Amino acid sequence: MTAHPLSVGFRGVLAAWIAWRANLEKPGIRWTPPFDAVTGCGHPTMRDLLYPDTRPGVNQRSDADLIDDIERLAPHLVRPVRLVDLAAAKPSFLKRFIGGGRSNSENIDLTNHQAGRPLAVREAAAQLVRCMSIDSSRLCVVLARDFIARGGDLQIDRTASADDVPLTGSTSPDAFAPSVAVVTRRTFREEFAYRLRCADGEPLIVMPLDQDLVLVERYLGTAGTEEALEHLKETYANWFGTPLAPDVRAGPTCHDDPTDFSCIQDLRQGDSYLQDVAARGIPPVERAGLSSDGHIGDSYGAFANTLAANYSHLDAAYIRGLVARHGPVAPDVLGACHRDEDLGTDFGGGLRAREARWMLDQEFARSAEDIACRRGPFALRGTDIGKLQDWIDRGARLR
């Protein structure tokens, strides 16, 4: 076998598609990415937000098309987000008159709307925008597994350099713009995301995550990292009337390496890799709650409930979290679990040994950080990475 020259040095979904596409043209192509290339950095980021009404850039696919493809391929990785936009430019009279606004948005009065409850400032004009958040790290895993299922040969080569082949250029002016982000405890209860404006004009995203966590992120713009971080903290405190919670789970992190950015940036490029993969579908999986082609489809909740009922001896919340990460293969992850002890060691943060073993065997993970930071939100939830690595070093036994 020979390594496909375009795949070395890429990270995330784009590498999987290049290798998968090459495999269609010439069977036996091997994908040799530079380290844990399957998932990239794994941090939640505002770059994973897709806006159905956003016009695509030159030679780019629209977010609406991407959402349709991902929902067909892996609907469990798509999460609706209600975004309160307080940084949008006010539309002109003509645009308002002819109805040129977003079809997935509505003007709201923050003084009378539940979205305004967490805010200290409620007099500003606001729009409620319906968008989607994509679990891009898990999407990378889905496509890498799809690549293997279709006859590809993925090998992790930690000696290769990420600079062996330069990344492709982007047609989007801010596709690889550096940003600064913090993940910390959420200081408000409402399940709304907020788009605010910092004093220097840069937008700020405040997006709730699970486990009462929140992502706060902004592009650097012309500011340095420390200055941008100060703007981030100041803007959050001004709008929410309270400083960021001191219980920081990740960051402050400066995302300034294009190879670490969300795969969504690559998905928007001209070649319709995702469309091709989604059109081919995934190998059929015959299980209760799934459609005939092995997809969860619109029955995501029913599938999770059915699985929780079948494993009634296990915690239902744990089962639903497993489905949110693994979708239709969640029963394979569980295997023959007859009691809670069969899940193995509890590493904290919702991670048990059986799922960790699955990620080592089936999802190309090689270390505790691969699992806790790049296969799920475990590190943010408090997973003991040292304990996990020690378990891996001792053979990753379930018993």
Side-chain angles (χ1 to χ4, degrees):
M1 295 184 183
T2 58
H4 190 272
L6 293 181
S7 68
V8 180
F10 286 78
R11 298 184 70 178
V13 155
L14 187 59
W17 280 326
I18 290 176
W20 173 81
R21 199 177 193 190
N23 190 63
L24 295 182
E25 299 170 355
K26 182 181 178 182
I29 293 294
R30 173 180 295 171
W31 175 31
T32 309
F35 22 95
D36 187 17
V38 175
T39 59
C41 71
H43 297 296
T45 170
M46 63 183 178
R47 302 172 202 274
D48 293 337
L49 284 174
L50 295 181
Y51 302 86
D53 291 322
T54 300
R55 291 183 178 180
V58 179
N59 297 324
Q60 289 190 351
R61 302 192 66 213
S62 70
D63 282 11
D65 288 340
L66 295 182
I67 292 170
D68 288 343
D69 290 342
I70 297 172
E71 285 184 330
R72 287 200 303 272
L73 185 70
H76 58 288
L77 303 180
V78 182
R79 178 172 65 93
V81 173
R82 296 179 294 173
L83 176 70
V84 181
D85 194 346
L86 293 152
K90 186 177 181 180
S92 66
F93 171 79
L94 179 60
K95 183 170 287 189
R96 295 196 305 270
F97 180 75
I98 64 177
R102 295 166 169 167
S103 59
N104 281 292
S105 67
E106 61 177 294
N107 295 323
I108 59 173
D109 180 0
L110 291 175
T111 60
N112 298 315
H113 196 281
Q114 60 178 335
R117 293 174 185 168
L119 299 176
V121 181
R122 303 180 184 178
E123 291 74 26
Q127 283 190 330
L128 184 62
V129 181
R130 290 167 179 81
C131 51
M132 298 291 181
S133 175
I134 309 299
D135 189 339
S136 59
S137 293
R138 296 302 307 171
L139 179 60
C140 291
V141 170
V142 167
L143 292 180
R145 282 173 52 80
D146 176 80
F147 165 59
I148 295 295
R150 299 184 191 283
D153 182 9
L154 185 150
Q155 293 190 359
I156 301 296
D157 180 4
R158 292 183 179 275
T159 63
S161 169
D163 299 324
D164 287 342
V165 176
L167 287 164
T168 54
S170 171
T171 55
S172 174
D174 65 346
F176 298 119
S179 66
V180 62
V182 174
V183 176
T184 185
R185 280 286 176 187
R186 198 183 337 158
T187 58
F188 54 94
R189 296 175 57 186
E190 287 73 15
E191 294 288 339
F192 290 93
Y194 296 85
R195 185 172 183 266
L196 312 171
R197 184 78 65 181
C198 294
D200 62 350
E202 288 293 328
L204 172 76
I205 290 290
V206 179
M207 185 168 69
L209 307 173
D210 64 355
Q211 299 284 313
D212 292 330
L213 299 177
V214 64
L215 167 72
V216 186
E217 184 175 7
R218 59 155 277 167
Y219 291 116
L220 292 186
T222 59
T225 302
E226 292 300 325
E227 182 184 358
L229 182 61
E230 288 305 312
H231 280 303
L232 180 152
K233 294 178 178 178
E234 179 182 0
T235 303
Y236 185 94
N238 289 342
W239 279 97
F240 290 93
T242 181
L244 282 174
D247 184 14
V248 174
R249 296 300 181 91
T253 303
C254 182
H255 300 300
D256 58 359
D257 181 356
T259 63
D260 271 345
F261 285 169
S262 167
C263 66
I264 299 301
Q265 303 304 316
D266 291 320
L267 295 178
R268 288 196 176 99
Q269 304 313 305
D271 289 336
S272 302
Y273 298 107
L274 183 59
Q275 189 176 34
D276 296 337
V277 178
R280 287 176 173 267
I282 58 176
V285 181
E286 295 182 1
R287 295 193 183 93
L290 295 180
S291 60
S292 59
D293 62 356
H295 284 70
I296 294 178
D298 295 333
S299 60
Y300 170 81
F303 174 72
N305 290 335
T306 299
L307 192 63
N310 291 340
Y311 289 87
S312 58
H313 46 286
L314 301 178
D315 181 62
Y318 173 79
I319 297 296
R320 292 189 179 91
L322 205 66
V323 172
R325 291 188 291 276
H326 299 277
V329 300
D332 296 334
V333 179
L334 287 169
C337 279
H338 302 291
R339 52 184 181 175
D340 184 77
E341 290 77 7
D342 292 336
L343 293 174
T345 304
D346 187 347
F347 300 107
L351 179 65
R352 302 293 294 269
R354 183 170 290 272
E355 184 179 7
R357 182 76 222 191
W358 171 270
M359 292 174 173
L360 291 169
D361 293 341
Q362 303 293 332
E363 296 186 353
F364 328 108
R366 295 294 182 273
S367 69
E369 286 195 355
D370 285 353
I371 294 173
C373 303
R374 292 180 283 273
R375 297 299 188 281
F378 307 112
L380 299 178
R381 297 174 178 174
T383 292
D384 189 333
I385 297 179
K387 181 179 179 181
L388 176 59
Q389 186 61 56
D390 181 63
W391 173 77
I392 294 174
D393 294 340
R394 290 186 287 106
R397 297 183 180 88
L398 291 179
R399 294 182 182 276

